[in-house]
Amino acid sequence: MSTTLKTIVIGAGTGGMCLAHGLRQAGLEVAVYERDRTRTGGLNGYRVGISPNGARALKACLPQDLFATFVATTGLPYTYLTMYTERFRELVGMRFEDLPQTGDRPEDRDHNVSRMTLRQVLFTGMEDVITFDKTFTHFEQHDDGTVTAHFADGDSATGDLLVGADGANSRVRTQYLPHARHVETGLVAIGGKVALTERNAELLPERARNGMSMLFDRRGQFGIVHAMRLPWYDGAPREGLGASDAALIERWPGLRYDNTTDYLSWGLSTSRSLAPADVLDRRGEDLHATTLALTEDWDPRWRELVATSDPSAALALSIRTSEPVPAWRPSSVTLVGDAIHTMTPGRGAGANTALRDARELRDRLVRVRDGELTRDEAVGGYEELMRRYSALAVEESLEFMNDDGTARRPVVGPLSVLAQRTALRVVNHLPPAKRRMARGFQKVRDSELV
């Protein structure tokens, strides 16, 4: 016997929209409420890596033609993953094709995506599902098992399940699990981007202009550079694309928006003890100047990349992480993505874990539809599993992004930096050790490798 179920999703981010697609594909009623009609600032203009975990969730939840559009609109694959010193001296270098993969299908591979482009893909065909300009304020759970979401404009919506997909500052979580805490890692991140030109491409080492690069300095600071080449140029499919991909891109409505230019993006993670006290309040060229001051002894090529970046794209973020929350009793409210497990970008697992959340919850709600589970059994099963795999992702993401100050301690600091660099150079010359490192990078991003 089938059961009807209406799900209300608060937040039209990656996890919320993947879930909405999955429920709609399963014939279940879903409504998404989103505060921002357009997103032109912050991280939305930056690259996000979609791992096999995330790609399989998108494959499972999106219509077949829209998943094909997702694949067609992702950036060109990276060739290299390289770790450098702050002077672009190689510590470890590997080819992306050597990272462990579980298959050759699109859903088994890593994909480079501009966040705004992914947002546009996920909005495609969902005009009747998303309601914009809705600021969630609070919810009410009723004796009959339903739940009502209330909004700042006085409107409300009632359904059988409320899903908080409203990010790290989730109002749903604040009300539902007020004891769930975020803690500071002691780090702040500054990011920037610049259009990819022949000049700045030639400015970087060959591996850096054709992949993802990480730079480690002697004070414990960590830099990253992404070379993002898109599958279109000047608003048209790029030469050399397959005919089917080109056709998908040409008729995809999202192409008329932004992110039609290749770019380089960079980021610097630094200790709050090194950064100015007001760094999070700084904008534009002030952030570029701050970055240059923090990296004054870095390679001139890095410094030119920062100095020539677009001031309007600069941003600064506090790096926080969630703490484990003891199991709670399942009900008509649940959470996905950063709303329940905020993590650092250290392993690139945040968006992918949110996508996995969406798939796992969708799968169980389908069983409610089919009469196999009650709603609370489905939600409880999802939450039990989610707590386990998200705890691993949070822990792994802290490996590179947790400031303990060791690198800046007298005597101990220089010795620890020397030991780290020596160990990485040894790994670079030992293929078995390098393969183990590659597997460690990938395991939290691909559940079939765990």
Side-chain angles (χ1 to χ4, degrees), residues 57 64 81 95 217 253 256 328 343 384:
Q64 183 176 349
L81 169 62
R95 298 178 67 91
D217 80 358
R256 67 177 179 266
W328 59 90
M343 61 191 73
E384 181 180 2

Side-chain angles (χ1 to χ4, degrees), residues 11-18 20-21 24 32-39 44 58 62-63 66 115-132 252-254 256-257:
T14 302
M17 287 308 302
C18 181
H21 274 285
R24 190 178 199 185
V32 179
Y33 295 89
E34 166 62 32
R35 181 184 61 188
D36 301 318
R37 184 173 294 272
T38 59
R39 292 187 179 182
N44 289 283
L58 290 168
L62 268 56
L66 192 58
R115 291 175 189 267
M116 187 64 77
T117 303
L118 178 58
R119 175 180 166 94
Q120 291 160 3
V121 168
L122 292 173
F123 282 5
T124 300
M126 299 292 275
E127 295 80 5
D128 59 331
V129 170
I130 310 172
T131 302
F132 290 103
W252 175 55
R256 67 177 179 266
Y257 300 115

Side-chain angles (χ1 to χ4, degrees), residues 356-357 360-361 364 379-391:
R356 182 175 178 183
D357 292 347
E360 299 289 356
L361 181 56
R364 286 158 180 79
V379 170
Y382 153 70
E383 290 173 344
E384 181 180 2
L385 178 62
M386 175 270 292
R387 281 189 290 266
R388 292 203 303 269
Y389 64 70
S390 66

